[in-house]
Amino acid sequence: MIWLTWRQHRQQALFTALALAALAALMVPTGLHMRGVFDDSGLASCLDKVGTAPLVPQGTDTCDALRDQFVSPFGGTMLLAILFVLLPLLVGLFFGAPLVAREIESGAHRMVWTQGVSRRQWVLAKTGLLGTAALLLAVVYALGVTWWFAPMAASSTGRLAYGYFDVQGIVPIGYTLFALALGVFAGTVCRKVLPAMAVTLGGFTVVRLGIELLARPHYLPGKTLSYGVQSTEGYNPASGVWASSTGVYDAGGKLVSNGFVGCSLGSEGDACVQEMGGPDSYNQLVYQPGDRFWIFQGIETGIFLVLTALLLYLAIRRIRRIA
């Protein structure tokens, strides 16, 4: 079965290897260049000096100018990051969905299952081999993108932010295995390749967005930080925290304005304070600390691995009922 599976999927494996080689040829030089600019521009040392505390004294240089200067020439890398978000889905579409659906659609499954190979052996051998290949692919991809994207994440809103979290660490491994299992399950339901690919596309999109937007912000209770609108301290955009809500509130807890407000001292500052609800008004930030990155990575990866196991179990059960 291993030899047969290799014969059936060797062309896909070749195209995948060529695609990875092309990505590596792009990522390695651009990654080295980004890291060189990140260090030589002084941004790395500036961020180290500012630190990751959510609040810093007013007037502290939070490296805004250096960040803008660094990000500007590398804006195109965000487009490449979108491709990295889609890579796990491509595994589900072109490896998972055809795995069972193509065999059933062509009728080849009847011949295989009458040659001394049980249905269980067949599906375990095929999913095991492709699953191992997908796992290795995901590990290489996750390590490579984490290395490549690190300077960009450090210079922006931090690793927990949408778009940055999804292509770094270990979650791409969970996404990839989930996409593969979803494609296999969709093939057992649709029994034709194109409908199975459509179900994989829709299912992956719904689950990914649902977990990202609805579940991820609540993995752990957020922390709340409050400080006066005329405080001697202000928000540190280099802190790497993931802000879920920001706003200015008056003494009664009523929202006055979204975002942060810093009123200066003196008559102009006093007018600003009155406009924001009086001297007892305050800025409030609800956030996830940046040091929770790996905790959130573990939680989300675990969710997708559980979904992967469930889908494979359901797929094996459905294969037993296919005529």
Side-chain angles (χ1 to χ4, degrees), residues 43-56:
L43 178 56
S45 59
C46 181
L47 291 174
D48 287 339
K49 183 179 179 180
V50 174
T52 58
L55 294 180
V56 292

Side-chain angles (χ1 to χ4, degrees), residues 189-203:
V189 175
C190 301
R191 305 189 184 188
K192 291 186 178 181
V193 175
L194 290 181
M197 294 176 73
V199 170
T200 302
L201 173 61

Side-chain angles (χ1 to χ4, degrees), residues 204-258:
F204 184 85
T205 303
V206 169
V207 174
R208 277 279 287 109
L209 290 178
I211 291 179
E212 179 174 340
L213 299 178
L214 301 178
R216 187 186 299 166
H218 306 289
Y219 288 161
L220 291 175
K223 292 187 175 182
T224 301
L225 179 67
S226 301
Y227 61 99
V229 295
Q230 210 171 23
S231 171
T232 57
E233 293 183 311
Y235 174 66
N236 177 17
S239 61
V241 305
W242 183 29
S244 56
S245 69
T246 59
V248 180
Y249 296 81
D250 62 18
K254 180 181 178 181
L255 179 66
V256 177
S257 174
N258 291 315

